[in-house]
Amino acid sequence: MKTPFVTKEQIEKIVKDYPTPFHIYDEKGIRERARALNAAFSWNKGFKEYFAVKATPNPVLLDILGEENCGVDCSSLTELIMSEKVGFKGDDIMFSSNATPAEDFKKAAELGAIINLDDFTHIDFLEKTIGYIPETICCRFNPGGDFRISTQIMGSPSEAKYGMTKEQIIEAYKILKAKGAKRFGIHAFLSSNNTNNEYYPTLAGVLFKLAVEIKEAAGVDIGFINLSGGVGVPYLPDAEPADIAIIGEGVHRVYDEILVPAGLGNVSLYTELGRYMLAPNGMLITKAIHEKHIYKEYIGCDACAANLMRPAIYGSYHHITVLGKENEPCDHKYDVTGGLCENNDKFAIDRMLPKIDIGDYLAIHEAGAHGFAMGYNYNGKLRSAELLLKEDGSVELIRRAETPEDYFATLGVTKYFK
């Protein structure tokens, strides 16, 4: 059972000013999650969370996370500019990208961001682009093969386009050191949306051993290790959530086993959690506007896959609460759909829910990350508004809904839309 952080009564007041659909975020929940993460890794003096901007790119939310001692992880020029506008600069920005355009590297260097090189060839590309190698530099590692926790395969890095091989990354550090780099980091992302508390400790073990090997083979000391993202959230109502306190203790144990004896007990740890930080603290609110009775029972909503793409493209489960009917029996089977001309535009398939009436408000859970951010304009659908439920109970518009004028504004031929 999932409990929404807003009630039917709250939504009925909100829609008087901001009609559905919209994404709404819980400031209290965001701050609590950031504080729990920082507490879990407080044993590491240099620990820092770099929030993955791609998950929820809104400056108001970035500002809240900045107040909670988080930095930002950017992957594009636009994300760098947004972060700069909010006030992030220097070591508060981690720039991790791939197939990187020159202008993106230039902006990252201008801001003094920590640049994370995805490929061996990017050493020369970066130097030619900005004219030097930064004193602080990071390289992304891809171990290849399958990534396992115990006997369970959690991912296949060999199929991923990211990172360098072990041989490449060791050679990269030798070259970077010769070119003037003085502070080095390692980064890796090996598996997505893990609620297994052993994911980070297992990944940490891989990277800590690599750090020791790099120290011996390349003659450089690793100053920081970025565990990236990958800690997930329980989308299913009966799934067990990850326990960040247990995860922090597990990484601490591996740190003491591997890094401390190797003389690397001052290595700072970084994370780049996006989904874990924001997904549970955001919901998509939509209204039932149609019902259809053919071979199945359908509920048509005013939101669609343009507002939340994950169910359509991944078949992902997102829990749905019919606001005001939380205690009613789930004795009706529905496909909950949007209005795109695509049959995969469904938020739920054969979902048992309370009886839904036209005008009911549906809260779609875990939409706070990779929700609005993945929106698009197929069928001329417009991205909806983003709202913030503040700690004092008030609601702030933090992004207005798009209009048809926005959609037409980028057309090169303007005579039709003056």
Side-chain angles (χ1 to χ4, degrees):
M1 183 71 176
K2 290 180 179 287
T3 302
F5 55 78
V6 289
T7 64
K8 177 185 177 183
E9 290 72 26
Q10 286 176 295
I11 293 301
E12 287 175 335
K13 291 179 181 178
I14 291 169
V15 297
K16 292 177 181 178
D17 296 313
Y18 310 112
T20 55
F22 53 77
H23 286 81
I24 187 166
Y25 306 99
D26 179 21
E27 180 183 5
K28 182 174 181 289
I30 294 168
R31 291 188 184 277
E32 288 176 348
R33 189 150 282 228
R35 291 168 189 174
L37 173 64
N38 283 320
F41 285 89
S42 60
W43 55 267
N44 183 260
K45 186 177 179 180
F47 174 76
K48 193 170 189 68
E49 153 68 359
Y50 288 86
F51 174 72
V53 176
K54 61 180 173 287
T56 320
N58 188 290
V60 174
L61 303 180
L62 299 186
D63 202 17
I64 290 171
L65 290 164
E67 291 174 357
E68 297 297 336
N69 302 310
C70 298
V72 287
D73 165 54
C74 298
S75 58
S76 70
L77 175 64
T78 308
E79 290 180 359
L80 286 167
I81 293 171
M82 178 181 289
S83 299
E84 177 188 24
K85 296 289 187 183
V86 175
F88 293 97
K89 59 183 178 180
D91 284 0
D92 285 335
I93 304 174
M94 177 74 64
F95 181 63
S96 299
S97 62
N98 65 97
T100 309
E103 57 264 33
D104 294 34
F105 273 141
K106 288 177 182 177
K107 187 63 178 181
E110 173 193 325
L111 295 176
I114 299 172
I115 294 175
N116 180 28
L117 297 176
D118 178 68
D119 184 64
F120 185 81
T121 65
H122 288 185
I123 299 172
D124 286 342
F125 184 79
L126 176 66
E127 187 174 33
K128 289 175 182 177
T129 297
I130 67 173
Y132 63 96
I133 292 296
E135 289 192 359
T136 298
I137 198 77
C138 186
C139 292
R140 186 167 184 168
F141 176 55
N142 183 329
D146 292 325
F147 176 67
R148 298 172 181 268
I149 297 178
S150 185
T151 59
Q152 185 179 3
I153 295 176
M154 308 301 292
S156 298
S158 58
E159 297 297 322
K161 65 177 181 176
Y162 309 107
M164 307 180 199
T165 68
K166 182 186 289 188
E167 294 75 15
Q168 288 175 334
I169 204 168
I170 290 173
E171 184 64 20
Y173 288 116
K174 292 178 181 178
I175 294 170
L176 291 166
K177 180 181 180 182
K179 290 180 178 291
K182 297 179 180 178
R183 182 169 177 253
F184 304 89
I186 305 173
H187 175 286
F189 178 91
L190 302 185
S191 182
S192 181
N193 195 39
N194 278 281
T195 55
N196 187 319
N197 292 332
E198 288 303 311
Y199 169 63
Y200 255 8
T202 304
L203 170 61
V206 172
L207 296 184
F208 295 169
K209 290 175 183 176
L210 179 64
V212 175
E213 189 170 346
I214 289 169
K215 177 183 179 181
E216 297 171 352
V220 302
D221 283 346
I222 299 300
F224 59 91
I225 294 175
N226 190 331
L227 301 175
S228 68
V231 177
V233 297
Y235 287 95
L236 293 166
D238 56 351
E240 285 294 320
D243 188 321
I244 200 66
I246 291 175
I247 291 169
E249 291 171 3
V251 175
H252 193 177
R253 181 185 67 251
V254 180
Y255 188 99
D256 287 347
E257 290 173 355
I258 299 172
L259 291 183
V260 173
L264 293 171
N266 291 320
V267 171
S268 297
L269 297 184
Y270 300 158
T271 57
E272 291 175 355
L273 297 173
R275 188 194 315 266
Y276 176 81
M277 299 293 284
L278 256 294
N281 297 309
M283 295 187 298
L284 173 60
I285 305 297
T286 182
K287 183 167 68 173
I289 59 174
H290 289 288
E291 56 183 340
K292 185 172 185 175
H293 317 284
I294 49 173
Y295 308 106
K296 303 179 76 171
E297 295 295 305
Y298 293 93
I299 294 295
C301 300
D302 57 3
C304 66
N307 306 105
L308 180 63
M309 190 192 294
R310 297 185 73 255
I313 62 172
Y314 300 132
S316 302
Y317 180 97
H318 280 260
H319 196 66
I320 295 174
T321 296
V322 184
L323 294 176
K325 297 182 177 179
E326 290 87 345
N327 297 319
E328 294 188 14
C330 295
D331 53 5
H332 284 63
K333 183 188 290 186
Y334 296 111
D335 279 15
V336 180
T337 80
L340 286 183
C341 295
E342 291 290 336
N343 195 46
N344 67 352
D345 181 21
K346 297 178 179 180
F347 295 115
I349 297 173
D350 294 333
R351 185 75 60 86
M352 299 304 298
L353 292 164
K355 183 180 184 303
I356 298 175
D357 298 303
I358 301 302
D360 279 347
Y361 294 106
L362 279 58
I364 304 178
H365 294 252
E366 274 78 42
H370 310 291
F372 179 91
M374 296 178 73
Y376 56 102
N377 289 128
Y378 181 56
N379 278 184
K381 294 293 186 179
L382 304 171
R383 295 178 183 88
S384 50
E386 291 183 294
L387 309 178
L388 178 67
L389 177 64
K390 303 182 77 171
E391 287 189 293
D392 63 6
S394 63
V395 173
E396 177 184 353
L397 178 69
I398 59 174
R399 192 192 302 266
R400 68 165 174 81
E402 287 182 340
T403 66
E405 289 72 24
D406 295 322
Y407 180 77
F408 299 137
T410 56
L411 292 171
V413 181
T414 57
K415 66 179 181 179
Y416 304 108
F417 302 101
K418 291 182 180 180

